[in-house]
Coordinates of all heavy atoms in Angstrom, one line a residue:
M1 N -48.1 -17.5 -43.6 CA -49.3 -16.7 -43.5 C -50.4 -17.3 -42.7 O -51.1 -16.6 -42.0 CB -49.8 -16.3 -44.9 CG -49.8 -14.9 -45.1 SD -49.7 -14.3 -46.8 CE -48.0 -14.6 -47.1
S2 N -50.5 -18.6 -42.8 CA -51.5 -19.3 -42.0 C -51.3 -19.1 -40.5 O -52.3 -19.0 -39.8 CB -51.6 -20.7 -42.4 OG -50.5 -21.4 -42.2
Q3 N -50.0 -19.1 -40.1 CA -49.7 -18.9 -38.7 C -50.2 -17.6 -38.2 O -50.7 -17.4 -37.1 CB -48.3 -19.1 -38.4 CG -47.8 -20.6 -38.5 CD -46.3 -20.7 -38.3 OE1 -45.5 -19.8 -38.6 NE2 -45.9 -21.8 -37.8
S4 N -49.9 -16.5 -39.0 CA -50.3 -15.2 -38.6 C -51.8 -15.1 -38.6 O -52.4 -14.4 -37.7 CB -49.7 -14.1 -39.4 OG -50.0 -14.3 -40.8
L5 N -52.5 -15.7 -39.5 CA -54.0 -15.7 -39.5 C -54.5 -16.4 -38.2 O -55.4 -15.8 -37.6 CB -54.5 -16.4 -40.7 CG -54.5 -15.6 -42.0 CD1 -54.8 -16.5 -43.2 CD2 -55.4 -14.4 -42.0
K6 N -54.0 -17.5 -37.9 CA -54.4 -18.2 -36.7 C -54.2 -17.4 -35.5 O -55.0 -17.3 -34.6 CB -53.7 -19.6 -36.6 CG -54.2 -20.6 -37.6 CD -53.5 -21.9 -37.5 CE -53.8 -22.9 -38.7 NZ -53.0 -24.1 -38.6
A7 N -53.0 -16.9 -35.4 CA -52.6 -16.1 -34.2 C -53.5 -14.9 -34.0 O -53.8 -14.5 -32.9 CB -51.1 -15.6 -34.3
A8 N -54.0 -14.3 -35.1 CA -54.8 -13.1 -35.1 C -56.3 -13.5 -34.9 O -57.2 -12.6 -34.8 CB -54.6 -12.2 -36.3
G9 N -56.6 -14.8 -35.0 CA -58.0 -15.2 -35.0 C -58.8 -14.8 -36.2 O -60.0 -14.6 -36.1
K10 N -58.2 -14.8 -37.3 CA -58.8 -14.4 -38.6 C -59.1 -15.6 -39.4 O -58.5 -16.7 -39.3 CB -58.0 -13.4 -39.4 CG -57.7 -12.1 -38.6 CD -59.0 -11.4 -38.2 CE -58.7 -10.2 -37.4 NZ -59.9 -9.6 -36.9
P11 N -60.1 -15.5 -40.3 CA -60.5 -16.7 -41.1 C -59.4 -17.2 -42.1 O -58.7 -16.3 -42.7 CB -61.7 -16.2 -41.9 CG -61.7 -14.7 -41.8 CD -60.9 -14.3 -40.6
M12 N -59.3 -18.5 -42.2 CA -58.3 -19.0 -43.1 C -58.6 -18.7 -44.5 O -57.7 -18.8 -45.4 CB -58.2 -20.6 -42.9 CG -57.6 -21.0 -41.6 SD -56.0 -20.2 -41.2 CE -55.0 -20.9 -42.5
E13 N -59.8 -18.3 -44.8 CA -60.2 -17.9 -46.2 C -59.4 -16.7 -46.6 O -59.3 -16.4 -47.8 CB -61.7 -17.6 -46.3 CG -62.6 -18.9 -46.2 CD -62.8 -19.3 -44.7 OE1 -62.7 -18.4 -43.8 OE2 -63.0 -20.5 -44.5
W14 N -58.9 -16.0 -45.7 CA -58.1 -14.8 -46.0 C -56.7 -15.1 -46.6 O -56.0 -14.3 -47.1 CB -57.9 -13.9 -44.8 CG -59.1 -13.1 -44.4 CD1 -60.4 -13.3 -44.8 CD2 -59.2 -12.0 -43.5 NE1 -61.3 -12.4 -44.2 CE2 -60.5 -11.6 -43.4 CE3 -58.2 -11.4 -42.7 CZ2 -60.9 -10.6 -42.5 CZ3 -58.6 -10.4 -41.9 CH2 -59.9 -9.9 -41.8
Q15 N -56.3 -16.3 -46.4 CA -54.9 -16.7 -46.9 C -54.7 -16.5 -48.4 O -53.7 -15.9 -48.8 CB -54.6 -18.2 -46.5 CG -53.2 -18.5 -46.8 CD -52.7 -19.8 -46.2 OE1 -53.3 -20.3 -45.3 NE2 -51.7 -20.4 -46.7
Q16 N -55.7 -16.9 -49.2 CA -55.5 -16.7 -50.6 C -55.4 -15.3 -51.0 O -54.4 -14.9 -51.8 CB -56.7 -17.4 -51.4 CG -56.5 -17.5 -52.9 CD -56.8 -16.2 -53.6 OE1 -57.7 -15.4 -53.2 NE2 -56.1 -15.9 -54.7
P17 N -56.2 -14.3 -50.6 CA -56.0 -13.0 -51.0 C -54.8 -12.3 -50.4 O -54.1 -11.5 -51.1 CB -57.3 -12.2 -50.6 CG -57.9 -13.1 -49.6 CD -57.5 -14.5 -49.9
L18 N -54.4 -12.7 -49.2 CA -53.1 -12.2 -48.7 C -51.9 -12.7 -49.5 O -51.0 -12.0 -49.8 CB -53.0 -12.7 -47.2 CG -53.8 -12.0 -46.2 CD1 -53.8 -12.7 -44.8 CD2 -53.5 -10.5 -46.1
E19 N -52.0 -14.0 -49.9 CA -50.9 -14.5 -50.7 C -50.8 -13.8 -52.0 O -49.7 -13.6 -52.6 CB -51.1 -16.0 -50.9 CG -50.7 -16.8 -49.6 CD -50.9 -18.3 -49.8 OE1 -51.4 -18.8 -50.9 OE2 -50.5 -19.0 -48.9
E20 N -52.0 -13.5 -52.6 CA -52.0 -12.7 -53.8 C -51.4 -11.3 -53.7 O -50.6 -10.9 -54.5 CB -53.4 -12.6 -54.4 CG -53.5 -11.9 -55.7 CD -52.8 -12.5 -56.8 OE1 -52.7 -13.8 -56.8 OE2 -52.4 -11.8 -57.8
L21 N -51.7 -10.7 -52.6 CA -51.0 -9.4 -52.3 C -49.5 -9.5 -52.2 O -48.8 -8.7 -52.8 CB -51.6 -8.8 -51.0 CG -52.9 -8.0 -51.0 CD1 -53.3 -7.6 -49.6 CD2 -52.7 -6.8 -51.9
V22 N -49.1 -10.5 -51.4 CA -47.6 -10.7 -51.2 C -47.0 -11.1 -52.6 O -45.9 -10.6 -52.9 CB -47.4 -11.7 -50.1 CG1 -45.9 -12.1 -50.1 CG2 -47.8 -11.2 -48.8
A23 N -47.6 -11.9 -53.4 CA -47.1 -12.2 -54.7 C -46.9 -11.0 -55.5 O -45.8 -10.8 -56.2 CB -48.0 -13.2 -55.4
R24 N -47.8 -10.1 -55.5 CA -47.7 -8.9 -56.3 C -46.7 -7.9 -55.8 O -46.0 -7.3 -56.6 CB -49.1 -8.2 -56.4 CG -50.2 -9.0 -57.1 CD -51.5 -8.3 -57.0 NE -52.6 -9.1 -57.6 CZ -53.8 -8.6 -57.8 NH1 -54.1 -7.3 -57.4 NH2 -54.7 -9.4 -58.3
E25 N -46.6 -7.8 -54.5 CA -45.7 -6.9 -53.9 C -44.3 -7.3 -53.8 O -43.4 -6.5 -54.1 CB -46.2 -6.5 -52.4 CG -47.5 -5.8 -52.4 CD -47.3 -4.3 -52.9 OE1 -46.4 -3.6 -52.5 OE2 -48.1 -4.0 -53.8
S26 N -44.0 -8.6 -53.5 CA -42.6 -9.0 -53.3 C -42.2 -10.3 -53.8 O -41.1 -10.8 -53.6 CB -42.4 -9.1 -51.7 OG -43.1 -10.1 -51.2
S27 N -43.2 -11.0 -54.5 CA -43.0 -12.3 -55.1 C -42.5 -13.3 -53.9 O -41.7 -14.2 -54.1 CB -41.9 -12.3 -56.2 OG -42.4 -11.5 -57.2
F28 N -43.1 -13.1 -52.7 CA -42.8 -13.9 -51.6 C -41.3 -13.8 -51.1 O -40.9 -14.7 -50.4 CB -43.2 -15.4 -51.8 CG -44.6 -15.6 -52.1 CD1 -45.1 -15.7 -53.4 CD2 -45.5 -15.6 -51.0 CE1 -46.5 -15.9 -53.6 CE2 -46.9 -15.8 -51.2 CZ -47.3 -15.9 -52.5
N29 N -40.6 -12.8 -51.5 CA -39.3 -12.6 -51.0 C -39.2 -11.7 -49.8 O -39.5 -10.5 -50.0 CB -38.4 -12.0 -52.2 CG -37.0 -11.8 -51.8 OD1 -36.6 -12.0 -50.7 ND2 -36.2 -11.3 -52.8
P30 N -38.9 -12.2 -48.6 CA -38.9 -11.3 -47.4 C -37.8 -10.3 -47.4 O -37.8 -9.4 -46.7 CB -38.7 -12.3 -46.3 CG -38.1 -13.5 -46.9 CD -38.6 -13.6 -48.3
N31 N -36.8 -10.5 -48.4 CA -35.7 -9.5 -48.5 C -35.9 -8.6 -49.7 O -35.0 -7.8 -50.0 CB -34.4 -10.3 -48.7 CG -34.1 -11.2 -47.5 OD1 -34.2 -10.8 -46.4 ND2 -33.9 -12.5 -47.8
A32 N -37.1 -8.6 -50.3 CA -37.3 -7.7 -51.5 C -37.2 -6.3 -51.1 O -37.6 -5.8 -50.0 CB -38.7 -8.0 -52.0
K33 N -36.6 -5.5 -51.9 CA -36.4 -4.0 -51.7 C -36.8 -3.3 -53.0 O -36.5 -3.7 -54.1 CB -35.0 -3.7 -51.4 CG -34.6 -4.2 -50.0 CD -33.2 -3.7 -49.6 CE -32.6 -4.4 -48.4 NZ -33.3 -4.4 -47.2
N34 N -37.5 -2.2 -52.9 CA -37.9 -1.4 -54.0 C -36.7 -0.4 -54.2 O -36.4 0.3 -53.3 CB -39.2 -0.6 -53.7 CG -39.7 0.2 -54.9 OD1 -38.9 0.8 -55.5 ND2 -41.0 0.2 -55.1
P35 N -36.2 -0.4 -55.4 CA -35.0 0.5 -55.7 C -35.4 2.0 -55.7 O -34.5 2.8 -55.6 CB -34.5 0.0 -57.0 CG -35.7 -0.6 -57.7 CD -36.5 -1.2 -56.6
T36 N -36.6 2.3 -55.8 CA -37.0 3.7 -55.9 C -37.7 4.3 -54.7 O -38.1 5.4 -54.7 CB -37.9 3.9 -57.1 OG1 -39.1 3.2 -56.9 CG2 -37.2 3.5 -58.4
S37 N -37.8 3.5 -53.6 CA -38.4 3.9 -52.3 C -37.8 3.1 -51.2 O -36.9 2.3 -51.4 CB -39.9 3.7 -52.4 OG -40.3 2.4 -52.2
T38 N -38.3 3.4 -50.0 CA -37.9 2.6 -48.8 C -38.7 1.3 -48.6 O -38.5 0.7 -47.6 CB -38.0 3.5 -47.6 OG1 -39.4 3.8 -47.3 CG2 -37.1 4.7 -47.7
A39 N -39.6 1.0 -49.6 CA -40.4 -0.2 -49.4 C -39.5 -1.5 -49.4 O -38.6 -1.6 -50.2 CB -41.4 -0.3 -50.6
A40 N -39.8 -2.4 -48.4 CA -39.1 -3.6 -48.3 C -39.9 -4.7 -47.7 O -40.9 -4.4 -47.0 CB -37.8 -3.3 -47.4
G41 N -39.5 -5.9 -47.9 CA -40.1 -7.1 -47.3 C -41.3 -7.6 -48.0 O -41.6 -7.2 -49.1
L42 N -41.9 -8.6 -47.4 CA -43.1 -9.3 -48.0 C -44.2 -8.3 -48.4 O -44.7 -8.4 -49.5 CB -43.6 -10.3 -47.1 CG -42.8 -11.5 -46.7 CD1 -43.4 -12.4 -45.6 CD2 -42.5 -12.4 -48.0
Y43 N -44.5 -7.4 -47.6 CA -45.6 -6.5 -47.8 C -45.2 -5.2 -48.3 O -46.0 -4.2 -48.5 CB -46.5 -6.3 -46.6 CG -47.4 -7.5 -46.3 CD1 -46.9 -8.7 -45.6 CD2 -48.7 -7.5 -46.7 CE1 -47.7 -9.7 -45.4 CE2 -49.5 -8.6 -46.4 CZ -49.0 -9.7 -45.8 OH -49.9 -10.8 -45.5
Q44 N -43.9 -5.0 -48.5 CA -43.3 -3.8 -49.0 C -43.6 -2.6 -48.2 O -44.1 -1.5 -48.6 CB -43.7 -3.5 -50.5 CG -43.0 -4.5 -51.5 CD -41.5 -4.3 -51.5 OE1 -41.0 -3.4 -52.2 NE2 -40.7 -5.2 -50.9
F45 N -43.4 -2.7 -46.9 CA -43.6 -1.6 -45.9 C -42.6 -0.5 -46.2 O -41.4 -0.8 -46.4 CB -43.4 -2.1 -44.5 CG -44.6 -2.7 -43.8 CD1 -45.7 -3.1 -44.6 CD2 -44.7 -2.8 -42.5 CE1 -46.8 -3.7 -43.9 CE2 -45.8 -3.3 -41.8 CZ -46.9 -3.7 -42.5
L46 N -43.1 0.7 -46.2 CA -42.2 1.9 -46.2 C -41.6 2.1 -44.8 O -42.2 1.6 -43.8 CB -43.0 3.1 -46.7 CG -43.5 3.0 -48.1 CD1 -44.5 4.2 -48.3 CD2 -42.4 3.1 -49.1
N47 N -40.6 2.9 -44.7 CA -40.0 3.2 -43.4 C -41.1 3.7 -42.4 O -41.1 3.3 -41.3 CB -38.9 4.2 -43.5 CG -37.6 3.6 -44.0 OD1 -37.4 2.4 -44.1 ND2 -36.7 4.4 -44.4
G48 N -41.9 4.6 -42.9 CA -42.9 5.2 -42.0 C -43.9 4.2 -41.6 O -44.4 4.2 -40.4
T49 N -44.3 3.2 -42.4 CA -45.2 2.2 -42.1 C -44.5 1.2 -41.0 O -45.2 0.9 -40.1 CB -45.6 1.4 -43.3 OG1 -46.1 2.3 -44.3 CG2 -46.7 0.4 -43.0
R50 N -43.3 0.9 -41.3 CA -42.6 0.0 -40.3 C -42.6 0.7 -38.9 O -42.8 0.1 -37.9 CB -41.2 -0.3 -40.8 CG -41.1 -1.4 -41.8 CD -39.7 -1.8 -42.1 NE -38.9 -0.8 -42.7 CZ -38.8 -0.5 -44.0 NH1 -39.6 -1.2 -44.8 NH2 -38.0 0.4 -44.4
K51 N -42.3 2.0 -38.9 CA -42.3 2.8 -37.7 C -43.6 2.7 -36.9 O -43.7 2.5 -35.7 CB -42.0 4.2 -37.9 CG -41.8 5.1 -36.7 CD -41.5 6.5 -37.1 CE -41.4 7.4 -35.8 NZ -41.1 8.8 -36.1
N52 N -44.7 2.7 -37.7 CA -46.1 2.7 -37.1 C -46.4 1.3 -36.6 O -47.4 1.1 -35.9 CB -47.1 3.2 -38.1 CG -47.0 4.6 -38.4 OD1 -46.5 5.4 -37.6 ND2 -47.5 5.0 -39.6
Y53 N -45.7 0.3 -37.1 CA -46.0 -1.1 -36.7 C -44.9 -1.8 -35.9 O -44.6 -3.0 -36.1 CB -46.4 -1.9 -38.0 CG -47.7 -1.6 -38.5 CD1 -48.0 -0.5 -39.3 CD2 -48.9 -2.3 -38.0 CE1 -49.2 -0.1 -39.7 CE2 -50.1 -1.9 -38.4 CZ -50.3 -0.8 -39.2 OH -51.6 -0.4 -39.6
G54 N -44.3 -1.0 -35.1 CA -43.3 -1.6 -34.2 C -41.9 -1.1 -34.3 O -41.0 -1.3 -33.5
G55 N -41.6 -0.5 -35.5 CA -40.3 0.1 -35.7 C -39.1 -0.9 -35.4 O -39.1 -2.0 -35.8
N56 N -38.2 -0.4 -34.6 CA -37.0 -1.2 -34.3 C -37.2 -2.3 -33.3 O -36.3 -3.1 -33.1 CB -35.9 -0.2 -33.8 CG -35.4 0.7 -34.8 OD1 -35.4 0.4 -36.0 ND2 -34.9 1.9 -34.4
S57 N -38.4 -2.3 -32.7 CA -38.7 -3.4 -31.8 C -39.1 -4.7 -32.5 O -39.3 -5.8 -31.9 CB -39.8 -3.0 -30.8 OG -41.0 -2.9 -31.5
V58 N -39.3 -4.6 -33.8 CA -39.7 -5.8 -34.6 C -38.4 -6.3 -35.4 O -37.7 -5.4 -35.9 CB -40.8 -5.4 -35.6 CG1 -41.1 -6.5 -36.6 CG2 -42.0 -5.0 -34.8
D59 N -38.3 -7.5 -35.5 CA -37.2 -8.1 -36.3 C -37.8 -8.2 -37.8 O -38.4 -9.2 -38.1 CB -36.8 -9.5 -35.8 CG -35.7 -10.2 -36.7 OD1 -35.3 -9.5 -37.7 OD2 -35.4 -11.3 -36.4
W60 N -37.5 -7.2 -38.5 CA -38.1 -7.1 -39.9 C -37.5 -8.1 -40.9 O -38.0 -8.2 -42.0 CB -38.0 -5.6 -40.4 CG -38.9 -4.7 -39.7 CD1 -38.5 -3.8 -38.7 CD2 -40.3 -4.6 -39.8 NE1 -39.7 -3.2 -38.2 CE2 -40.8 -3.7 -38.9 CE3 -41.3 -5.3 -40.6 CZ2 -42.1 -3.3 -38.7 CZ3 -42.6 -4.9 -40.4 CH2 -43.0 -4.0 -39.5
S61 N -36.4 -8.7 -40.4 CA -35.8 -9.8 -41.3 C -36.6 -11.1 -41.1 O -36.4 -12.0 -41.9 CB -34.4 -10.0 -41.0 OG -34.2 -10.5 -39.7
D62 N -37.4 -11.2 -40.1 CA -38.2 -12.4 -39.8 C -39.5 -12.4 -40.7 O -40.4 -11.6 -40.4 CB -38.5 -12.5 -38.3 CG -39.3 -13.7 -37.9 OD1 -39.7 -14.5 -38.8 OD2 -39.7 -13.7 -36.7
P63 N -39.6 -13.4 -41.6 CA -40.8 -13.5 -42.4 C -42.1 -13.6 -41.6 O -43.2 -13.0 -42.0 CB -40.6 -14.7 -43.3 CG -39.2 -14.9 -43.3 CD -38.7 -14.4 -42.0
Y64 N -42.1 -14.3 -40.5 CA -43.3 -14.4 -39.7 C -43.7 -13.1 -39.1 O -44.9 -12.7 -39.2 CB -43.1 -15.4 -38.5 CG -44.3 -15.4 -37.6 CD1 -45.5 -16.1 -38.0 CD2 -44.3 -14.8 -36.4 CE1 -46.6 -16.1 -37.2 CE2 -45.5 -14.8 -35.6 CZ -46.6 -15.4 -36.0 OH -47.7 -15.4 -35.2
Q65 N -42.8 -12.3 -38.6 CA -43.1 -11.0 -38.1 C -43.6 -10.1 -39.2 O -44.5 -9.3 -39.0 CB -41.9 -10.4 -37.3 CG -41.7 -11.1 -36.0 CD -40.8 -10.4 -35.1 OE1 -40.8 -9.2 -35.0 NE2 -39.9 -11.2 -34.4
Q66 N -43.0 -10.2 -40.4 CA -43.4 -9.4 -41.5 C -44.9 -9.7 -41.9 O -45.7 -8.9 -42.1 CB -42.6 -9.6 -42.8 CG -41.2 -9.1 -42.7 CD -40.4 -9.3 -44.0 OE1 -41.0 -9.3 -45.1 NE2 -39.1 -9.5 -43.8
A67 N -45.2 -11.0 -41.9 CA -46.6 -11.5 -42.2 C -47.5 -11.0 -41.1 O -48.7 -10.6 -41.5 CB -46.6 -13.0 -42.3
S68 N -47.2 -11.1 -39.9 CA -48.1 -10.6 -38.8 C -48.3 -9.1 -38.9 O -49.5 -8.7 -38.8 CB -47.5 -10.9 -37.4 OG -47.4 -12.3 -37.2
K69 N -47.3 -8.4 -39.1 CA -47.4 -6.9 -39.2 C -48.2 -6.5 -40.5 O -49.0 -5.6 -40.5 CB -46.1 -6.2 -39.1 CG -45.4 -6.4 -37.8 CD -46.2 -6.0 -36.6 CE -45.4 -6.2 -35.3 NZ -46.2 -5.7 -34.2
G70 N -47.9 -7.3 -41.6 CA -48.6 -7.0 -42.8 C -50.1 -7.3 -42.7 O -50.9 -6.5 -43.2
L71 N -50.5 -8.4 -42.0 CA -51.9 -8.7 -41.8 C -52.5 -7.6 -41.0 O -53.6 -7.1 -41.4 CB -52.0 -10.0 -41.1 CG -53.4 -10.4 -40.6 CD1 -54.4 -10.5 -41.7 CD2 -53.4 -11.7 -39.8
Q72 N -51.8 -7.1 -40.0 CA -52.4 -6.0 -39.1 C -52.6 -4.8 -40.0 O -53.6 -4.1 -39.8 CB -51.6 -5.8 -37.9 CG -52.2 -4.8 -36.9 CD -53.6 -5.4 -36.4 OE1 -53.6 -6.5 -35.9 NE2 -54.6 -4.6 -36.6
Y73 N -51.6 -4.5 -40.8 CA -51.8 -3.3 -41.7 C -53.0 -3.4 -42.6 O -53.7 -2.5 -42.8 CB -50.5 -3.1 -42.5 CG -50.6 -2.1 -43.6 CD1 -50.4 -0.7 -43.3 CD2 -50.8 -2.4 -44.9 CE1 -50.5 0.2 -44.3 CE2 -50.9 -1.5 -45.9 CZ -50.8 -0.1 -45.6 OH -50.9 0.8 -46.5
V74 N -53.1 -4.6 -43.2 CA -54.3 -4.8 -44.1 C -55.6 -4.6 -43.4 O -56.5 -3.9 -43.9 CB -54.2 -6.2 -44.8 CG1 -55.5 -6.6 -45.5 CG2 -53.0 -6.2 -45.8
I75 N -55.7 -5.2 -42.2 CA -56.9 -5.0 -41.4 C -57.1 -3.5 -41.0 O -58.2 -3.0 -41.2 CB -56.8 -5.9 -40.1 CG1 -56.8 -7.4 -40.5 CG2 -57.9 -5.5 -39.2 CD1 -56.4 -8.3 -39.4
D76 N -56.1 -2.9 -40.6 CA -56.2 -1.5 -40.1 C -56.6 -0.6 -41.3 O -57.5 0.3 -41.1 CB -54.9 -1.0 -39.5 CG -54.5 -1.6 -38.2 OD1 -55.4 -2.3 -37.6 OD2 -53.4 -1.4 -37.8
R77 N -56.0 -0.8 -42.4 CA -56.2 0.2 -43.6 C -57.5 -0.2 -44.4 O -58.2 0.7 -44.9 CB -55.0 0.2 -44.5 CG -55.2 1.2 -45.6 CD -54.0 1.6 -46.3 NE -54.3 2.5 -47.4 CZ -53.5 3.4 -47.8 NH1 -52.4 3.6 -47.3 NH2 -53.9 4.1 -48.8
Y78 N -57.7 -1.5 -44.6 CA -58.8 -1.9 -45.5 C -59.9 -2.7 -44.9 O -60.9 -2.9 -45.5 CB -58.1 -2.7 -46.7 CG -57.1 -2.0 -47.4 CD1 -55.8 -2.1 -47.2 CD2 -57.5 -1.0 -48.4 CE1 -54.8 -1.4 -47.9 CE2 -56.5 -0.3 -49.1 CZ -55.2 -0.5 -48.8 OH -54.3 0.3 -49.5
G79 N -59.7 -3.3 -43.7 CA -60.7 -4.1 -43.1 C -60.5 -5.5 -43.3 O -60.7 -6.4 -42.4
D80 N -60.1 -5.9 -44.6 CA -59.9 -7.3 -44.9 C -59.0 -7.3 -46.2 O -59.0 -6.3 -46.9 CB -61.2 -8.1 -45.0 CG -62.0 -7.7 -46.2 OD1 -61.6 -7.6 -47.3 OD2 -63.2 -7.5 -46.0
P81 N -58.4 -8.5 -46.5 CA -57.6 -8.6 -47.7 C -58.3 -8.5 -49.0 O -57.7 -8.1 -50.0 CB -56.8 -9.9 -47.5 CG -57.7 -10.7 -46.6 CD -58.4 -9.7 -45.7
Y82 N -59.6 -8.8 -49.0 CA -60.4 -8.7 -50.2 C -60.4 -7.2 -50.7 O -60.3 -6.9 -51.9 CB -61.8 -9.3 -50.1 CG -61.7 -10.8 -49.7 CD1 -62.0 -11.2 -48.4 CD2 -61.5 -11.7 -50.7 CE1 -61.9 -12.6 -48.1 CE2 -61.5 -13.1 -50.4 CZ -61.7 -13.5 -49.1 OH -61.7 -14.8 -48.8
K83 N -60.7 -6.4 -49.7 CA -60.8 -4.9 -50.0 C -59.4 -4.4 -50.4 O -59.3 -3.5 -51.3 CB -61.3 -4.2 -48.8 CG -62.8 -4.5 -48.6 CD -63.3 -3.8 -47.3 CE -64.7 -4.3 -47.0 NZ -65.1 -3.9 -45.7
A84 N -58.3 -4.9 -49.8 CA -57.0 -4.5 -50.1 C -56.7 -4.9 -51.6 O -56.1 -4.1 -52.3 CB -56.0 -5.1 -49.2
L85 N -57.0 -6.1 -52.0 CA -56.8 -6.5 -53.3 C -57.6 -5.7 -54.3 O -57.1 -5.4 -55.4 CB -57.2 -8.0 -53.5 CG -56.1 -9.0 -53.4 CD1 -56.7 -10.4 -53.7 CD2 -55.0 -8.8 -54.4
K86 N -58.8 -5.4 -54.0 CA -59.7 -4.6 -54.9 C -59.0 -3.2 -55.1 O -59.0 -2.7 -56.2 CB -61.1 -4.4 -54.3 CG -62.0 -3.8 -55.2 CD -63.4 -3.8 -54.5 CE -64.5 -3.4 -55.5 NZ -65.8 -3.5 -55.0
F87 N -58.5 -2.6 -54.0 CA -57.8 -1.4 -54.1 C -56.5 -1.5 -55.0 O -56.3 -0.7 -55.8 CB -57.4 -0.9 -52.7 CG -56.7 0.5 -52.7 CD1 -57.5 1.6 -52.5 CD2 -55.4 0.6 -52.9 CE1 -56.9 2.9 -52.5 CE2 -54.8 1.9 -52.9 CZ -55.5 3.0 -52.7
W88 N -55.8 -2.6 -54.8 CA -54.6 -2.9 -55.6 C -54.9 -3.0 -57.0 O -54.2 -2.4 -57.9 CB -53.9 -4.1 -55.1 CG -52.4 -4.2 -55.5 CD1 -51.4 -4.0 -54.7 CD2 -51.9 -4.5 -56.8 NE1 -50.2 -4.1 -55.4 CE2 -50.5 -4.5 -56.7 CE3 -52.5 -4.9 -58.0 CZ2 -49.6 -4.7 -57.7 CZ3 -51.6 -5.1 -59.1 CH2 -50.2 -5.0 -58.9
D89 N -56.0 -3.7 -57.3 CA -56.4 -3.9 -58.7 C -56.7 -2.5 -59.4 O -56.4 -2.3 -60.6 CB -57.7 -4.7 -58.8 CG -57.4 -6.2 -58.6 OD1 -56.3 -6.6 -58.6 OD2 -58.4 -6.9 -58.2
K90 N -57.3 -1.6 -58.7 CA -57.6 -0.3 -59.2 C -56.4 0.6 -59.3 O -56.2 1.4 -60.3 CB -58.7 0.4 -58.3 CG -59.1 1.7 -58.8 CD -60.2 2.3 -58.0 CE -60.6 3.7 -58.5 NZ -61.6 4.3 -57.6
N91 N -55.5 0.6 -58.3 CA -54.4 1.5 -58.2 C -53.0 1.0 -58.5 O -52.0 1.7 -58.6 CB -54.4 2.1 -56.8 CG -55.7 2.9 -56.5 OD1 -55.9 3.9 -57.0 ND2 -56.6 2.2 -55.8
K92 N -52.9 -0.4 -58.5 CA -51.6 -1.0 -58.7 C -50.6 -0.8 -57.6 O -49.4 -1.0 -57.7 CB -50.9 -0.6 -60.0 CG -51.8 -0.8 -61.3 CD -52.2 -2.3 -61.4 CE -53.1 -2.4 -62.6 NZ -54.3 -3.3 -62.4
W93 N -51.2 -0.6 -56.4 CA -50.5 -0.5 -55.1 C -51.5 -0.6 -54.1 O -52.7 -0.5 -54.4 CB -49.6 0.8 -55.0 CG -50.4 2.0 -55.0 CD1 -50.8 2.7 -56.1 CD2 -50.9 2.7 -53.8 NE1 -51.5 3.8 -55.7 CE2 -51.6 3.9 -54.3 CE3 -50.9 2.5 -52.4 CZ2 -52.2 4.8 -53.5 CZ3 -51.5 3.4 -51.6 CH2 -52.1 4.5 -52.1
Y94 N -51.1 -0.8 -52.8 CA -52.1 -0.8 -51.7 C -51.6 -0.1 -50.5 O -50.5 0.3 -50.4 CB -52.5 -2.3 -51.4 CG -51.5 -3.0 -50.5 CD1 -51.9 -3.3 -49.2 CD2 -50.2 -3.2 -50.9 CE1 -51.0 -3.9 -48.3 CE2 -49.3 -3.9 -50.0 CZ -49.7 -4.2 -48.8 OH -48.8 -4.8 -47.9

């Protein structure tokens, strides 16, 4: 996660809340799959979300690429991981 933060030029303080999100979503398992949906990977991207973040041009089995795309998703949808965690706390998903 720290590599994706550095590459994106984002503050290292974001690492802790991002790790908390990933712990809740996939327990840090890049191969995690939700048995009741298409959610998969560290950030539990749905098929539609993966499509919006590179689709087949991304190696979704690569944890670094999952972390980079997950960070971008958090920024795009919530602005920062603190807001994403706050949403997760309220809704039990993000």
